[in-house]
Amino acid sequence: MNAKRRAATTLALLGLLQATLGTVVTMAVSKGFGAPLFWCAAFSFALAWFAERRATTS
């Protein structure tokens, strides 16, 4: 597994963790505390998509 594909996998797993924690925090506390985690998850998924795209073209 090359470095770009490994980075894409790591970022996708990080996004899943952030989305899971965001859901739990939103349910436990309020939307104001969980919302930043959803933004971080979306950013991680975007970076994972970009890294995976770069891994398949090079």
Side-chain angles (χ1 to χ4, degrees):
M1 182 181 273
N2 72 23
K4 291 179 183 174
R5 191 169 295 261
R6 192 169 38 245
T9 303
T10 302
L11 287 166
L13 290 174
L14 180 63
L16 285 174
L17 176 66
Q18 290 167 340
T20 303
L21 287 175
T23 303
V24 171
V25 169
T26 298
M27 289 172 38
V29 183
S30 73
K31 292 178 185 172
F33 290 102
L37 288 170
F38 289 115
W39 283 109
C40 289
F43 186 65
S44 292
F45 287 134
L47 286 176
W49 172 80
F50 181 72
E52 182 65 29
R53 187 171 173 228
R54 297 260 330 242
T56 56
T57 58
S58 35

